[in-house]
Amino acid sequence: MSKPLFLETQLIRGSQHGNQTSVVDPITLSTTFLRGEDGHFVSDGDIYSRASNPNRTSLESKLAILEKGDKALAFASGQAATNAVFLALGANSHIILPNDIYYGTRVLIDNVLADFQISYSICDFTDINQIEKTIQANTKLIWIESPSNPSLKISDIAEIAKIASKNKILSVCDNTWASPFFTQPLSLGIDIVMHSSTKYLGGHSDILGGALIWKNTLDTRIAAKLVDIQKLGGSVPSPFDCWLLSRSLSTFCLRMPQHAQNAMILATFLETHTAIEKVYYPGLESHPGHEIAKKQMLNGFGGMISVLIKGDEQIAIKVASKLQIFRNATSLGGVESLVDHRKTAEGEHSTTKPNLLRISVGIENVNDLINDFKQALDK
Ligand SMILES: *Cc1c(COP(=O)(O)O)cnc(C)c1O
């Protein structure tokens, strides 16, 4: 084909592995692959499934296309992908984390990596100067999350990438919440994009997965280390999970605009409701990060909202339990709407406000979502 294909088409057609007669990729469950008479491996470089598998290869090529990267690695979970980045830094490394962040990222360092002299400092990423002041002699990584979990803070990704590159520090963006449909960190100068593909990439709350994606310009030592950690560390997704995720990506470009459209309408409604103290959604003009979000988010502002309910923790928990269309469960990014009382989900390490509810807006009819909040808040 002569003309380059558009993203929607590539996600459906672009990555099928060769030599097949079926329209849909077969699932290759075999853990081991045949050698021919001359001792060479018969299939395209596959030897043993931990090192590579046709379904994973196919998925990884789609992931690279999605984030406009050159190389992608699929992991068994988002945390496995995050862990790979931290391990690649080596012992005695210092990391700068934003003060609002997926709690598991911070706790992974506290509970596991601190034993290997991996330390971190936290600062407010909405104030760029604070980041520069936090850099130490052994700072190896600046980790960005925008919008952040659970308060939807917006950081200026391009500006932070500049600070990192000026100081020869690796920059990684957890792009789980925005998804590549709304933000493309590699195009903004970030070195590596991390995903919990459990969320929007999977889109149906039925696959656990993670990914790292980068361009060929990444430090080759770091790139090689990440590949080793995936293949030798072995926290790889199963062929079936790779196949499912690859299937999910076929509808990614259809799902994402609906999440964002529903979220914008619901956030606008919630902001007018007297039982709500505050709505955090970067699409609202009242959001302190709205201008930066407009600059770096394409096509919309994503499907995640957090609200502070007027009242205490018990009232917030009660509102969550009164919702009927929104399922009362943690996680996000699926076609079905979810509501999560974050403080009790995060447990003892939580720094989240007790009256905060996190809302993952699904792709149901938005009128049903609004009516559901109306009845729950009225009670
Ligand atoms: C869920 C999530 C993770 C962790 O991913 P898992 O797939 O659960 O391991 C990391 N970052 C963010 C922003 C998330 O929402």
Side-chain angles (χ1 to χ4, degrees):
M1 256 173 279
S2 51
K3 284 191 181 162
L5 299 174
F6 289 95
L7 178 65
E8 295 85 342
T9 317
Q10 279 188 289
L11 289 176
I12 292 167
R13 272 312 299 275
S15 68
Q16 285 169 333
H17 38 87
N19 294 334
Q20 68 179 67
T21 51
S22 58
V23 170
V24 173
D25 279 351
I27 304 175
T28 306
L29 293 175
S30 182
T31 52
T32 185
F33 297 87
L34 287 174
R35 292 184 194 238
E37 275 178 21
D38 60 356
H40 282 91
F41 286 92
V42 179
S43 73
D44 313 331
D46 295 316
I47 298 172
Y48 181 67
S49 241
R50 169 158 49 69
S52 76
N53 165 282
N55 295 104
R56 201 164 91 222
T57 305
S58 174
L59 169 66
E60 287 173 341
S61 74
K62 279 196 186 185
L63 292 168
I65 290 166
L66 255 185
E67 285 285 2
K68 297 204 172 70
D70 298 309
K71 172 82 182 166
L73 299 179
F75 287 86
S77 69
Q79 285 295 86
T82 299
N83 194 40
V85 172
F86 292 163
L87 287 180
L89 302 176
N92 302 309
S93 296
H94 174 254
I95 302 168
I96 302 181
L97 299 178
N99 61 359
D100 193 60
I101 185 174
Y102 176 69
Y103 79 110
T105 310
R106 207 180 63 224
V107 177
L108 173 63
I109 304 178
D110 287 337
N111 291 9
V112 181
L113 294 157
D115 293 345
F116 304 90
Q117 282 67 52
I118 293 183
S119 62
Y120 65 87
S121 301
I122 280 177
C123 70
D124 182 357
F125 276 33
T126 61
D127 177 2
I128 295 280
N129 296 326
Q130 275 203 29
I131 299 176
E132 253 190 310
K133 280 188 209 141
T134 309
I135 295 174
Q136 306 177 359
N138 66 336
T139 302
K140 299 272 178 62
L141 168 66
I142 300 179
W143 182 275
I144 303 174
E145 199 182 296
S146 180
S148 63
N149 180 359
S151 300
L152 290 118
K153 288 191 175 183
I154 299 291
S155 345
D156 193 324
I157 298 174
E159 286 304 314
I160 297 169
K162 272 187 217 156
I163 292 175
S165 119
K166 192 177 83 185
N167 291 282
K168 301 198 165 43
I169 296 169
L170 189 70
S171 57
V172 177
C173 185
D174 179 341
N175 201 29
T176 301
W177 275 37
S179 93
F181 196 83
F182 300 113
T183 304
Q184 304 203 325
L186 297 181
S187 310
L188 297 169
I190 291 293
D191 295 321
I192 303 173
V193 169
M194 172 265 160
H195 273 285
S196 165
S197 46
T198 314
K199 315 297 170 52
Y200 286 108
L201 302 187
H204 299 72
S205 307
D206 54 10
I207 319 159
L208 202 65
L212 298 175
I213 304 141
W214 63 83
K215 287 188 196 251
N216 285 337
T217 47
L218 180 69
D219 179 341
T220 50
R221 209 177 35 88
I222 292 282
K225 199 56 106 181
L226 291 172
V227 170
D228 273 350
I229 294 168
Q230 183 210 35
K231 289 188 192 334
L232 302 172
S235 53
V236 291
S238 70
F240 182 58
D241 279 355
C242 292
W243 183 90
L244 263 185
L245 186 53
S246 186
R247 171 194 172 127
S248 287
L249 292 178
S250 306
T251 56
F252 175 74
C253 295
L254 274 181
R255 288 184 275 115
M256 296 315 293
Q258 197 61 43
H259 282 290
Q261 191 183 321
N262 282 0
M264 188 71 209
I265 296 170
L266 183 66
T268 305
F269 161 75
L270 291 170
E271 207 173 31
T272 63
H273 201 288
T274 52
I276 301 280
E277 181 185 314
K278 182 130 195 77
V279 180
Y280 300 104
Y281 183 66
L284 296 174
E285 276 177 23
S286 61
H287 190 288
H290 181 62
E291 287 309 314
I292 295 171
K294 270 204 296 198
K295 190 180 72 170
Q296 73 191 17
M297 296 186 84
L298 324 155
N299 312 313
F301 300 95
M304 294 302 297
I305 303 173
S306 284
V307 292
L308 300 182
I309 304 288
K310 266 187 202 157
D312 58 11
E313 173 162 336
Q314 285 318 309
I315 293 184
I317 290 173
K318 192 153 192 184
V319 170
S321 74
K322 294 287 176 206
L323 287 163
Q324 289 163 1
I325 307 288
F326 286 83
R327 313 306 296 276
N328 192 351
T330 195
S331 199
L332 59 116
V335 291
E336 63 286 301
S337 292
L338 298 178
V339 64
D340 192 21
H341 182 255
R342 241 1 240 168
K343 190 173 169 60
T344 42
E346 291 176 353
E348 58 172 322
H349 301 280
S350 177
T351 53
T352 299
K353 290 191 173 148
N355 59 336
L356 183 140
L357 292 181
R358 192 183 77 181
I359 303 164
S360 175
V361 184
I363 62 172
E364 302 93 341
N365 187 300
V366 71
N367 295 304
D368 289 328
L369 303 182
I370 288 176
N371 288 336
D372 197 22
F373 257 100
K374 271 187 187 156
Q375 63 81 21
L377 290 170
D378 288 350
K379 283 180 187 155

